[in-house]
Amino acid sequence: QVQLVESGGGLVQPGGSLRLSCAASGFALDYYAIGWFRQAPGKEREGVSCISKRDGSTYYADSVKGRFTISRDNAKNTVYLQMNSLKPEDTAVYYCAADTLGISTVQAMCVMPHLVRSWGQGTQVTVSS
């Protein structure tokens, strides 16, 4: 089974930083593209950033471009999301997910979360003063 566990969420002040981790088990992380998604109360789940399984290509939503960085450590079977210059509108539950269906591109994965089948349980990020 594909197992994903997120960690690193918490409460942070506006302008602060946080690093989220997504630890994988049951499979080698480099078998799949991995994405970070978020969902705020009353809103649809949206793609934040995704990274490819082979060439390291990445995609970022316009709302986080220049502030967030996705990275992959295959030796630790872990994907990270470094979040800087956090804003209150970044408040959400953050999920990582694996593209076990072979969606064509990381951009497609991030903008079409309804196609993604393997999800972690999420970690809460709250940005507030």
Side-chain angles (χ1 to χ4, degrees), residues 18-63:
L18 213 56
R19 189 178 76 161
L20 305 183
S21 298
C22 175
S25 62
F27 68 101
L29 192 65
D30 60 0
Y31 283 179
Y32 306 110
I34 303 294
W36 284 99
F37 300 78
R38 67 187 182 187
Q39 188 166 23
K43 295 186 177 181
E44 297 292 319
R45 188 170 298 188
E46 63 175 348
V48 176
S49 182
C50 297
I51 187 167
S52 73
K53 63 182 179 180
R54 293 183 177 179
D55 63 4
S57 298
T58 57
Y59 170 85
Y60 296 93
D62 288 342
S63 60

Side-chain angles (χ1 to χ4, degrees), residues 37-91:
F37 300 78
R38 67 187 182 187
Q39 188 166 23
K43 295 186 177 181
E44 297 292 319
R45 188 170 298 188
E46 63 175 348
V48 176
S49 182
C50 297
I51 187 167
S52 73
K53 63 182 179 180
R54 293 183 177 179
D55 63 4
S57 298
T58 57
Y59 170 85
Y60 296 93
D62 288 342
S63 60
V64 307
K65 195 172 298 181
R67 300 188 297 120
F68 291 10
T69 303
I70 190 170
S71 61
R72 191 176 203 139
D73 187 337
N74 291 330
K76 296 182 178 180
N77 230 29
T78 300
V79 172
Y80 303 97
L81 184 67
Q82 179 67 46
M83 305 185 295
N84 299 325
S85 302
L86 284 163
K87 305 175 180 179
E89 49 263 47
D90 295 319
T91 296

